[in-house]
Amino acid sequence: MLRLQINGEERLVGDDVDPKTPLLWVLRDHLSLVGSKFGCGVAQCGACTVHVDGKPVRSCQLTVGNVGAKAVTTIEGIGKTPNGAKIQAAWMEIEVPQCGYCQAGQIMSATALLNSTPSPSDSDIDAAMAGNICRCGTYIRIRQAIKNAAAKSV
Amino acid sequence: MKTFGIAIAVIIVIALGIAAWLLLIPGPIAFASGSTVALSDYTGANPTGVPKELAQADVIKRGEYLAHAADCIACHTAPGAPAYAGGFAFNLPFGTMYSTNITPDKETGIGNYTDQQFLDALHKGVRADGQQLYPAMSYTSYAYMTDADALAIKAYLFTLPAVHAPARENRLSWPFNQRGLMAAWNLFYKSDERFRPNPAQSAEWNRGAYLAEAMGHCGECHTPRNLAYALNNRSKFAGALTAGWRAYNISGDKAAGLGDWTDADLSTYLSTGHADGHGGSAGPMGEATDNSLTFLTPGDIHALVVYLRSVPAQQSDLPHTMETPAPASHREGATAGMDPRGEQVFAGACAACHDWTGVSPTSKYATLTGVRAVNDPSATNVAQTIINGVNRQTAEGTIFMPGFGEAYSDDDIAAVSNYVTTRFGAQGAHLTANDIASLRKQAAQQ
């Protein structure tokens, strides 16, 4: 039995789950948290990004056995954090998403960026967001929404 | 005139002396103090055979253990092809050579080999038809293997499914395509002498020496070669470039070698292919770990550690590894002001797992801090890992990094290799696209 700390709650995962299973599979298939998306499965697209102890991590590469007692935040819980709420509001304000598939990951990476860098430059945004791919090409709106969110006081 | 004759004679003697020094090299365990004795005269614990856990096992089980220890599968299996069916390409300075099928197929494998023919191949490098094998088949190492161990391996190989896989034709340039010339090489380098224990050393050392020299043939990659492409044991385990990958210095040198590793780290690395603070094995060493070393018992791993520890320090031009992580911000650190291309590739393809600090939040296997390859200013293994990725099956699950060789240009791979070694290592590399093209070619299975 694994005890995971997800979005501030303890979630139990039964022995039927191999500790080598990637966290993303456990979130989606066992805990019904389907906001995090499977994109590439090799940490190259960013659609599965969650926070583990505040750091953005590709949940398709992190095994559930390695999560331990660390605090996991998913797209379902990020709106309860100050920067997560700001980012989501900024996203809606200028309608960033197009198809939306990558956006959960984009919002998780953008929130982590604001957490570590409250007023990010273009270069900071590039460094933090380059690993999150959007096939609709919403990058320009993503950049703008991050700047808008940063400009708002908490 | 007489003086002139003496001068010529002296020059000839000196020249012969230099030639002899260059060509005649000490044996692989000659570095240790004390003299060796024949195995039959040795009174210590038997350094050969299987460990005590398998002492009662049948010959096939014993052979399986020993085949793993000798890592036959590494060279006798081509990528994606059936195990032991040969076809693995050796890219050498004189052309490409292919390993052969050692499944029990009677037509294309070793199904018709008698025990004596098998021993001749392992010990003398002579195949069933009497032709010389090239020393890519490491018979100079396997010569140290006892008959009993070699025949146990044969018994195991003969239980494998027979695969029909004819040998691929070697593509060697003249004169290297003349097998008969190996007879001359053998005059200098073939000993055909079984392992001789050293009573002045511990039982564990002797077991470790047998495992490292007769079985695992570590030196075939980790010891530099001389002009005749034979292992130069004067620089034993000083590291060498083999098939486009760098086999690192595993001598006792503190900066470049294993001198600063703890015994515990070394054991963990050998048995799992990873030690925290030193990183993990990839490429050929990843294969050696997964195909061979992980099968060894803890006692045998310990013996290897004892033996490795005894190998005298050999200096090489590698810096001591950098053990502090890089700054969290991409704007800080040794990479500030570098060509932005490396940073762009790193941000898009690498930072998500490896982090800007080099300490991975995802997996200890992805941490770059302290890894020898990252602290190698040639960036050879960094570039190869980027090109080929990592895909190891371990007890802890799959260790995976995608290969980027098909996705990124040589320019991009050079830039990101330089960036990674500069940001996370002791000294940055200066690879060019041409270097990457060459590294791709050296490691290619063609």
Side-chain angles (χ1 to χ4, degrees):
Chain A
M1 181 75 75
L2 292 168
R3 293 171 184 277
L4 301 176
Q5 305 298 322
I6 297 182
N7 299 329
E9 289 173 32
E10 182 169 84
R11 302 291 299 262
L12 303 179
V13 177
D15 291 333
D16 56 322
V17 174
D18 186 334
K20 293 176 207 158
T21 311
L23 175 63
L24 177 63
W25 273 250
V26 177
L27 292 175
R28 292 183 55 85
D29 296 351
H30 295 269
L31 302 174
S32 301
L33 294 168
V34 294
S36 306
K37 297 293 188 277
F38 174 86
C40 66
V42 292
Q44 288 299 297
C45 78
C48 67
T49 306
V50 300
H51 293 186
V52 177
D53 276 352
K55 285 210 130 194
V57 170
R58 304 298 189 246
S59 63
C60 72
Q61 292 300 305
L62 175 66
T63 60
V64 69
N66 277 335
V67 175
K70 295 187 198 107
V72 176
T73 308
T74 68
I75 187 67
E76 288 86 352
I78 199 70
K80 294 186 197 115
T81 69
N83 278 329
K86 272 203 316 194
I87 286 284
Q88 285 182 329
W91 242 247
M92 285 186 283
E93 200 175 278
I94 61 164
E95 296 181 350
V96 171
Q98 188 166 321
C99 87
Y101 196 82
C102 70
Q103 296 293 329
Q106 303 282 2
I107 287 169
M108 297 308 287
S109 291
T111 307
L113 170 62
L114 281 201
N115 287 342
S116 66
T117 314
S119 302
S121 64
D122 277 349
S123 157
D124 293 327
I125 294 173
D126 287 345
M129 304 299 295
N132 286 77
I133 289 172
C134 172
R135 300 221 69 176
C136 305
T138 62
Y139 301 113
I140 294 165
R141 294 202 294 272
I142 289 171
R143 187 186 298 279
Q144 188 59 53
I146 291 173
K147 290 186 169 176
N148 292 352
K152 290 209 171 110
S153 56
V154 179
Chain B
M1 197 61 202
K2 197 177 171 195
T3 336
F4 184 67
I6 290 171
I8 293 283
V10 167
I11 288 169
I12 289 173
V13 167
I14 291 172
L16 284 173
I18 291 172
W21 191 84
L22 284 174
L23 288 169
L24 301 172
I25 40 184
I29 64 171
F31 67 86
S33 60
S35 48
T36 61
V37 296
L39 192 57
S40 52
D41 297 332
Y42 181 66
T43 52
N46 183 6
T48 71
V50 292
K52 60 178 188 301
E53 291 88 335
L54 284 169
Q56 304 306 319
D58 62 46
V59 66
I60 293 162
K61 274 270 160 241
R62 284 185 276 132
E64 183 180 13
Y65 185 88
L66 295 165
H68 283 142
D71 203 4
C72 316
I73 198 170
C75 292
H76 284 283
T77 306
Y84 294 104
F88 180 90
F90 297 85
N91 303 320
L92 297 162
F94 13 85
T96 301
M97 229 183 267
Y98 295 95
S99 67
T100 54
N101 181 354
I102 56 166
T103 72
D105 184 54
K106 286 188 183 299
E107 202 184 322
T108 62
I110 60 167
N112 284 325
Y113 269 61
T114 63
D115 285 357
Q116 192 53 52
Q117 285 170 330
F118 189 80
L119 290 175
D120 286 347
L122 250 66
H123 289 157
K124 299 181 179 143
V126 175
R127 63 187 199 193
D129 65 359
Q131 287 264 23
Q132 276 298 325
L133 293 171
Y134 285 102
M137 159 65 183
S138 44
Y139 58 84
T140 49
S141 294
Y142 294 146
Y144 298 111
M145 201 187 291
T146 64
D147 289 6
D149 287 352
L151 294 175
I153 291 176
K154 175 172 181 267
Y156 167 68
L157 292 175
F158 272 60
T159 65
L160 298 173
V163 178
H164 185 86
R168 292 182 65 180
E169 188 118 0
N170 293 337
R171 286 176 292 138
L172 295 172
S173 55
W174 189 89
F176 305 104
N177 55 5
Q178 305 296 308
R179 276 184 188 274
L181 290 180
M182 284 301 111
W185 191 89
N186 285 338
L187 278 179
F188 289 99
Y189 303 113
K190 188 180 83 172
S191 70
D192 190 19
E193 183 179 64
R194 281 349 121 231
F195 179 70
R196 291 172 61 87
N198 183 334
Q201 304 289 334
S202 69
E204 281 167 323
W205 185 94
N206 278 291
R207 174 65 178 167
Y210 186 72
L211 286 168
E213 306 301 345
M215 308 305 273
H217 55 284
C218 315
E220 295 283 343
C221 289
H222 286 281
T223 297
R225 292 173 187 274
N226 67 6
L227 281 175
Y229 226 65
L231 300 182
N232 178 7
N233 288 318
R234 288 195 190 93
S235 304
K236 186 180 178 67
F237 291 170
L241 187 69
T242 305
W245 287 79
R246 198 161 288 282
Y248 285 113
N249 185 329
I250 54 168
S251 77
D253 190 64
K254 279 189 181 296
L258 302 176
D260 264 358
W261 289 50
T262 64
D263 284 0
D265 282 349
L266 201 43
S267 284
T268 310
Y269 187 92
L270 289 172
S271 50
T272 68
H274 176 90
D276 288 345
H278 298 290
S281 57
M285 188 60 190
E287 290 171 14
T289 311
D290 296 346
N291 294 331
S292 175
L293 290 160
T294 51
F295 292 95
L296 298 188
T297 60
D300 275 354
I301 290 287
H302 181 67
L304 271 178
V305 172
V306 169
Y307 178 69
L308 280 174
R309 282 283 183 231
S310 75
V311 177
Q314 297 284 347
Q315 286 188 342
S316 51
D317 54 0
L318 288 173
H320 199 287
T321 54
M322 167 83 110
E323 275 144 28
T324 19
S329 165
H330 71 288
R331 275 177 281 139
E332 295 161 19
T335 40
M338 272 183 83
D339 166 20
R341 186 192 283 235
E343 182 174 289
Q344 283 162 7
V345 175
F346 187 83
C350 321
C353 285
H354 295 293
D355 202 80
W356 293 96
T357 61
V359 178
S360 173
T362 313
S363 160
K364 63 180 183 182
Y365 297 104
T367 287
L368 300 174
T369 310
V371 175
R372 170 43 77 199
V374 174
N375 287 274
D376 168 5
S378 79
T380 305
N381 291 8
V382 167
Q384 291 290 19
T385 306
I386 293 168
I387 294 167
N388 297 292
V390 178
N391 195 352
R392 294 186 44 218
Q393 309 301 322
T394 75
E396 286 197 41
T398 302
I399 299 170
F400 177 79
M401 164 176 150
F404 294 93
E406 301 294 316
Y408 285 87
S409 68
D410 291 351
D411 275 319
D412 285 336
I413 293 171
V416 76
S417 302
N418 296 341
Y419 184 84
V420 164
T421 45
T422 306
R423 185 168 184 85
F424 307 110
Q427 199 184 326
H430 301 281
L431 293 182
T432 63
N434 285 342
D435 297 326
I436 301 297
S438 160
L439 287 173
R440 284 182 193 266
K441 219 167 134 191
Q442 290 174 57
Q445 279 295 306
Q446 44 198 327

